[in-house]
Structures are given as structure tokens and as C-alpha cells.
Amino acid sequence: MGPRTMAVAAQELELGAFGSLVENNPKRPEWSAIVPLSLLGLGALAFGIGIAAADQRQDGTWYYGLPMLALAALALGLACWFLLRRRPPKTWVAWYEHGVVRQAADQEPEAYGWDEIGQVARQDVKVVKQFGSYMQYRLLVIPEEAGGQIVVDNTYGGVLPFIEGLTDTFSRSRVKQDAARLNAGERVDFGGLIDINTGGLGKGSRRLGWREAERIDLKHGSLHIHRRGDARPWMVVPAVGFPNLLVFLTLCDALQRQNAT
């Protein structure tokens, strides 16, 4: 199972040349937390029972042992949670020239051509901690049919080059598809955040023609769309999680160039 059966599925669907593959590393039980919590809980339990028994014999005030018993319940409960909490299955994800394949544990592989993928969105976040910071990378690949969402994040080794390769390959395919839709007079929607057509871009009745659009900047985690001659952005759209972002930027650039001549 694993990469070999994925390659067979990709061949059957004619996904073309292999691009890249990543696999996750499901976490094992955190014994560094489970053992101390268990020892603390058992110690507090024994101490609390001892206090309750001694006080009950002396004057009937057994409840003075309740704080220690409560601490024991909390510590043992946390230890059980760390031990029993559900962990993701071993999963492989691979992208090819014409699509993507995922396989989890001993399940059958799921294979999709790029024309079956509705959205590819990155949700990268910078995590800042007391002694430093790091990037949390996350990619969502959402098929047109509900229920098959693929998520690749930092639990997968080599996640960043994989995400960049998959996004670039998908975007090149999707640009051709969406460009054909635009030439046919359709609007191309990007997750309900904004849509474009050959006349301009916007949301709902708020539209900006391509001749009026000066530039689109990507900064501070947002897309800043500027109207020609205005200092302030005409529209600001979150870039984190923006579906098919590279497709949007590529098509916008092409349409601006066409309308500039």
C-alpha cells in the first residue's frame, strides 16, 4: 500500500508525470506529559484519601481531602486525554502533472484530475512564541464534489516545496480553463470574495473596470486593489485562504494588459 498503489491510481487516471510526494508523521503518545501527570494524579489521590480518612476518624470532616482529590481527578483526566486522543492516520499525498492523489493508512487511494479540483488555497500563518517564531504552512485542496478535502500542513515532511510545486502546477492548468470561460463571456468567482470578467472585477454590484484598475498589491496578508489615481485601496481582500490566488493574479494581470492597449 502507500506510494505504489498511488502510482497505479495515477496511471489509471492518466495524471501524467510524477511531481512530488509527502507523508505525515502521526504523533505518538506524549509520554513526557503523560508520565508526570499520572504520577501527580496518583500522588494527589493517595494524599487526598489519606487526609479524608484521617479527618473522618478524628472529627468527621472528611471533606478537607476534596481539594487533593479534585487535583488528582484533573491530573489523571489530562493524562488519559493525552493517551487516548485521536491522532491522524498515516497519510501520503502526491501531485502529478495533471492531478493529485491521497492515500490514508490502508484505505484505497483518492485520485483527482485538476479539472475535478474546485479550489487550492494556502493558509500560511506566522506563529510567534516567547523565544522565537515559525511558519505554520497549510494547504487546502478542495475537489468539486464535497467530502474529499485534502489538507497538507507542517506534520508532513518537506511541506513548503511540495505546496509550492502543487500550487504552481494546478494554477497553470486552471488559468487555461478559466481564461476560456472568460473568453466565453462568463464570470469567474473566487470563493465569493471577488469575481472577474472581461469587463472588470469586484463583488456584487461594486465593480471596477480594467482600465480603472491601477495595480493589485499583496501585502500584510491582504490583497490591496487600487483604482487609478486613488491613494487608498479601492478594495482590500484577505489573501490568507484566498482560493486559487495565483490564478486570480495571473488572470488579472493578463486582463489589465489587454485593456491597457
Side-chain angles (χ1 to χ4, degrees):
M1 303 297 283
R4 183 176 298 179
T5 54
M6 293 170 68
V8 172
Q11 186 175 10
E12 291 177 351
L13 201 60
E14 298 182 348
L15 297 185
F18 171 77
S20 181
L21 178 141
V22 289
E23 59 184 271
N24 66 352
N25 183 24
K27 292 183 178 180
R28 297 178 179 178
E30 290 99 341
W31 296 110
S32 60
I34 294 171
V35 172
L37 285 169
S38 298
L39 293 175
L40 174 62
L42 292 173
L45 179 62
F47 193 35
I49 291 174
I51 292 174
D55 288 344
Q56 178 66 27
R57 286 195 300 269
Q58 291 178 4
D59 51 18
T61 56
W62 61 270
Y63 44 82
Y64 286 121
L66 285 178
M68 294 305 297
L69 294 175
L71 175 61
L74 176 62
L76 293 173
L78 284 173
C80 289
W81 180 80
F82 276 113
L83 181 64
L84 300 176
R85 68 174 176 168
R86 186 178 180 182
R87 294 169 182 82
K90 181 69 175 180
T91 304
W92 298 266
V93 182
W95 63 263
Y96 293 77
E97 181 183 3
H98 302 302
V100 61
V101 183
R102 174 181 64 179
Q103 184 168 1
D106 294 329
Q107 299 177 10
E108 291 297 318
E110 305 168 66
Y112 303 94
W114 293 135
D115 59 345
E116 299 176 282
I117 300 298
Q119 297 180 14
V120 169
R122 293 183 63 166
Q123 297 180 333
D124 302 344
V125 177
K126 185 176 183 180
V127 180
V128 179
K129 293 193 172 182
Q130 184 175 2
F131 299 106
S133 62
Y134 67 94
M135 286 299 299
Q136 175 68 51
Y137 298 106
R138 191 168 188 261
L139 179 74
L140 299 181
V141 181
I142 305 175
E144 294 283 2
E145 295 185 3
Q149 179 173 284
I150 299 172
V151 180
V152 179
D153 55 24
N154 286 42
T155 62
Y156 290 76
V159 61
L160 182 56
F162 179 87
I163 286 177
E164 291 176 342
L166 186 152
T167 303
D168 289 345
T169 306
F170 166 79
S171 298
R172 287 195 298 270
S173 174
R174 188 57 178 258
V175 162
K176 297 178 183 178
Q177 178 182 335
D178 286 348
R181 292 175 57 196
L182 290 170
N183 291 333
E186 297 182 35
R187 284 190 181 185
V188 177
D189 180 75
F190 293 87
L193 298 173
I194 195 169
D195 64 73
I196 62 175
N197 60 11
T198 54
L201 76 167
K203 182 177 180 181
S205 60
R206 190 184 181 200
R207 311 295 299 176
L208 182 69
W210 292 117
R211 291 185 181 275
E212 302 174 88
E214 183 176 25
R215 68 184 189 278
I216 300 175
D217 295 331
L218 179 58
K219 58 182 181 181
H220 306 306
S222 298
L223 289 171
H224 294 245
I225 301 170
H226 291 265
R227 184 201 296 267
R228 195 174 303 279
D230 290 350
R232 299 183 62 182
W234 175 77
M235 179 181 285
V236 178
V237 183
V240 177
F242 190 100
N244 306 343
L245 177 60
L246 287 182
V247 177
F248 173 78
L249 293 175
T250 301
L251 292 174
C252 286
D253 180 67
L255 288 166
Q256 284 181 282
R257 291 176 184 273
Q258 289 176 16
N259 286 274
T261 57

